[in-house]
Amino acid sequence: FEFVLDLINNKEFKKSNTDIFYPYTEKSIRVAIDEITKRGIDLLPRHINRCFDHLTSEAEENKVKSIDVDFVKKFFNKKCSLPCPLLSE
């Protein structure tokens, strides 16, 4: 969880006037980590980074302003297939 917060709050990427969880919510970050774990994906920094990058890209494509729990669950149920091609690179 702290690793994800560090990523999304990196000064190069952080938008001003947003909270520490933007573009996620605290709960949606936790749900995403739970979904990653349920799929047997090791919580290695490179895997977490790629999963959250894929999730964020999907949200951008769908013009989602805040990545909430519903979006995270929908993403993992419909877009996240195993074995994950992103993690095998």
Side-chain angles (χ1 to χ4, degrees):
F1 181 82
E2 294 297 324
F3 177 74
V4 174
L5 286 182
D6 287 346
L7 286 175
I8 64 177
N9 285 292
N10 182 298
K11 66 182 178 179
E12 291 181 39
F13 308 112
K14 187 70 179 164
K15 289 188 177 185
S16 60
N17 300 322
T18 58
D19 70 16
I20 63 169
F21 305 110
Y22 181 84
Y24 297 88
T25 65
E26 179 178 5
K27 189 167 183 177
S28 68
I29 293 170
R30 293 187 187 281
V31 169
I33 293 169
D34 288 344
E35 291 292 337
I36 291 167
T37 303
K38 281 182 198 173
R39 284 162 173 70
I41 298 169
D42 292 330
L43 291 178
L44 300 172
R46 69 178 175 269
H47 292 170
I48 294 168
N49 192 23
R50 287 183 176 176
C51 288
F52 273 87
D53 182 52
H54 188 195
L55 178 56
T56 304
S57 294
E58 189 69 25
E60 288 173 351
E61 285 179 26
N62 287 280
K63 301 189 183 340
V64 172
K65 293 186 189 231
S66 178
I67 302 170
D68 61 13
V69 171
D70 290 337
F71 186 84
V72 169
K73 287 182 178 184
K74 185 171 135 182
F75 169 81
F76 279 98
N77 288 329
K78 294 185 177 184
K79 296 285 183 170
C80 186
S81 60
L82 291 176
C84 178
L86 292 173
L87 301 180
S88 61
E89 296 175 351

